[in-house]
Structures are given as C-alpha cells and as structure tokens.
C-alpha cells in the first residue's frame, strides 16, 4: 500500500520522525562511547577552569585547552574513534598549495625524526635532519 502520512497515521502505520538536536546526539554519543570510567576519574576536575569529566559527558564540551591534558586518558579512545585511529591532527593545506601539502607532511616527519635522533643522542643523524629541514623550509 502507498499511503499519505495522514492516511497511514489513521491506520496506525505512520511513525512520526523525531528530529533530535545535534548537541543532544553528540552528548548521547559521548556518553555511549566513553565507557564507564572509575568513579574517581569522573570526579577529576581541571585546575584551570574547574570543568569535571562528568560535565564533559553531559555537555560534550571542554572548558579550556588544559582539559585535554587533565582528561587525556579518558578522551584518547573517543578522539581515536572520531579520527579513525589517528591520534594527531595534521591539519589542512589549501588546494592551491598543490605539492606544498606533501612537503609540509614530509617536513613534519623529518622534525619528528630529528626529535627522536636528539633523544637517542644520535647527533650525526640529527645534524643531517636539521640540514634537510632547512632545505624544506627554504622551498616553502
């Protein structure tokens, strides 16, 4: 049968579509996917703004940038799911930059390798990577 909404409702077949506000959907999503952290973790509060993890779960909003550090352990799984497993934001490059996007990504990779080389006290490799970074920066 093909019925209009009114006739379908008269026959008890129509289901009214309920439009849920996006903030409510996000709040429910966060609550569902944040798991059930231990009670002591939900009482944890940011020293900077006073936001608690429970407030974040209710409103899906953090109070300040420091909240990311305070709630890192509890937010990490949410962020990974939202970014399909990624844990670091690389950013976007305008389309008109073309090949610049690949240079930017390569530059980030080389900087990470430089930090690792310095941490490992491999100064010879660090010097080579430093020179490579300079070349990339001159090209940009």
């Amino acid at each position: 049968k093909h019925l209009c909404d009114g006739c379908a409702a008269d026959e008890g077949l129509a289901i009214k579509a309920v439009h849920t506000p996006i903030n409510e959907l996000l709040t429910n999503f966060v609550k569902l996917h944040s798991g059930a952290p231990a009670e002591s973790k939900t009482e944890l509060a940011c020293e900077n703004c006073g936001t608690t993890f429970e407030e974040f779960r209710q409103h899906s909003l953090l109070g300040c940038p420091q909240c990311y550090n305070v709630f890192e352990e509890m937010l990490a799984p949410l962020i990974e799911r939202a970014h399909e497993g990624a844990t670091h934001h690389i950013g976007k490059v305008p389309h008109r930059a073309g090949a610049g996007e690949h240079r930017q990504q390569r530059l980030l990779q080389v900087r990470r390798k430089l930090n690792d080389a310095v941490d490992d006290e491999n100064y010879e490799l660090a010097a080579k990577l430093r020179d490579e970074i300079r070349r990339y920066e001159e090209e940009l």
Side-chain angles (χ1 to χ4, degrees):
K1 277 184 171 180
H2 295 281
L3 303 172
C4 68
D5 290 339
C7 294
D10 291 342
E11 291 193 26
L13 299 174
I15 300 173
K16 280 195 167 185
V18 177
H19 298 285
T20 307
I22 189 71
N23 63 340
E24 189 176 327
L25 289 172
L26 289 172
T27 301
N28 292 336
F29 175 81
V30 169
K31 285 181 182 178
L32 179 67
H33 289 88
S34 66
E39 189 62 33
S40 61
K41 291 182 182 177
T42 58
E43 293 175 4
L44 187 62
C46 176
E47 305 101 28
N48 190 40
C49 67
T51 301
T52 64
F53 188 71
E54 188 59 36
E55 289 173 347
F56 166 72
R57 289 182 68 197
Q58 290 174 357
H59 305 291
S60 303
L61 295 171
L62 294 172
C64 69
Q66 184 64 28
C67 290
Y68 287 95
N69 295 328
V70 174
F71 304 123
E72 181 179 9
E73 183 181 326
M74 295 162 283
L75 292 174
L78 293 172
I79 293 171
E80 285 181 26
R81 272 194 295 271
H83 293 283
E84 299 174 354
T87 57
H88 292 81
H89 179 67
I90 295 174
K92 294 183 179 179
V93 177
H95 292 291
R96 66 180 179 272
E101 178 180 352
H102 298 294
R103 278 192 227 136
Q104 285 287 351
Q105 289 178 350
R106 177 69 180 142
L107 183 59
L108 289 172
Q109 290 173 344
V110 174
R111 284 186 177 149
R112 279 189 228 120
K113 287 181 183 178
L114 174 63
N115 288 336
D116 292 341
V118 170
D119 289 344
D120 295 339
E121 297 181 8
N122 187 348
Y123 300 113
E124 186 176 320
L125 176 60
K128 289 178 184 177
L129 293 170
R130 177 202 61 210
D131 295 339
E132 188 176 342
I133 289 171
R134 285 184 184 157
R135 282 194 304 273
Y136 277 117
E137 288 175 342
E138 289 172 3
E139 291 175 7
L140 296 176

